[in-house]
Structures are given as structure tokens and as C-alpha cells.
Amino acid sequence: MVGQAQSWPRIVMEEWAVHDLFIYGTLLPGLRLQAQMQGAQCLGPARVPGRLVDVGRYPGLLHGQGSVSGEVYRVSDAQLARLDAVEDMVPGDRAASQYWREQVTVQAGALAGQPVWTYVYNRPTEGLVPIAHGDYRRYIREVGRDS
């Protein structure tokens, strides 16, 4: 009985330690970093407020007028920590981070009206090409680029 009582809180923590994350770029299915989302649960397509820029081999989400297309996933603490590293986010050090994880409210689609995490580009944007329609998959097709 003692062994069961000790393992119960751990199971509950693992079961409830989940986060909803909006992705919009190379982590999307079919794109270059899709394998990083292995084990995450897709909740569906969504749009969040903001705008996209072309950073080179990936997009960057910025605050501002517009709407960005992507998908919402449910991820564990461990998955979120791994994705922070993939996105070059240094916890506790925004200045050292290329992307910063922030909460935004979903405008439409999966979890509409709910807060979710996303990665906001955290470097200078002067000279970066805007992705006016906010859809990275569409953009890479338009410019003839692999993800």
C-alpha cells in the first residue's frame, strides 16, 4: 500500500502536466522539423493574432496587426522544454533567446478564445520580408522553397 501511495502523485502530475502550444512554421506536419512534435497531440488548425516574417529557413511571429495560421498541439512539460531548446529559447534569459515563448489568445479554430503558448521572434526585424497572409506553408509554396 505504501508503494502505491508514493507513486500516485507522480502519475497525477504526469497526467496533468500538459500545455497547449500554437505552432506556425517548420514544426508543422510535412515540414522540416515535424519530428520534433512526435508524441504531441494535435488539437487542430487555428489562427492567432500577429504577423509573420521570413527569417531565412523559418518564419518568425511578431506582435501586430494581422492573423497567423497554424495548429494547436497539447504537449507535456518534457516536450515543451525540448521545443524551447529547438526554438533557441533560453529560459529566464530573453536577451539570449532567438524566440521567446509567450501566451496568446486563439482567434479562430481549435481552442478559439483560449490562451495558448507560442514562440515569438525575439531578434531585430529590419530588412526581413513580411509574410502578409500569415500562412507559412502557403508562403514556401509561393516562393518555391523547401521547408
Side-chain angles (χ1 to χ4, degrees), residues 58-75:
Y58 41 84
L61 186 148
L62 304 172
H63 295 292
Q65 296 291 339
S67 185
V68 175
S69 296
E71 296 179 0
V72 175
Y73 283 79
R74 187 151 289 153
V75 299

Side-chain angles (χ1 to χ4, degrees), residues 1-143:
M1 187 67 125
V2 173
Q4 291 175 342
Q6 290 175 344
S7 65
W8 184 77
R10 185 170 151 250
I11 293 169
V12 170
M13 284 179 59
E14 288 173 2
E15 182 178 336
W16 292 104
V18 295
H19 309 273
D20 296 327
L21 175 69
F22 175 80
I23 62 171
Y24 55 87
T26 56
L27 293 171
L28 289 166
L31 301 185
R32 183 168 43 91
L33 297 177
Q34 71 175 359
Q36 298 296 330
M37 295 304 294
Q38 183 176 352
Q41 176 191 3
C42 182
L43 302 180
R47 292 187 71 78
V48 300
R51 58 193 181 93
L52 285 183
V53 291
D54 182 347
V55 178
R57 289 191 36 114
Y58 41 84
L61 186 148
L62 304 172
H63 295 292
Q65 296 291 339
S67 185
V68 175
S69 296
E71 296 179 0
V72 175
Y73 283 79
R74 187 151 289 153
V75 299
S76 69
D77 280 339
Q79 289 167 321
L80 192 61
R82 185 181 74 240
L83 291 167
D84 284 352
V86 167
E87 297 293 339
D88 196 21
M89 191 196 102
V90 181
D93 192 351
R94 187 175 190 139
S97 300
Q98 182 171 15
Y99 287 83
W100 191 250
R101 182 166 34 89
E102 298 182 17
Q103 285 196 319
V104 296
T105 301
V106 176
Q107 289 178 322
L111 300 183
Q114 299 297 310
V116 296
W117 290 111
T118 197
Y119 292 99
V120 176
Y121 190 62
N122 192 46
R123 294 284 185 245
T125 59
E126 186 176 319
L128 297 180
V129 175
I131 302 173
H133 49 63
D135 184 332
Y136 185 65
R137 281 186 176 133
R138 176 179 157 192
Y139 176 74
I140 61 174
R141 284 191 308 269
E142 290 171 351
V143 298

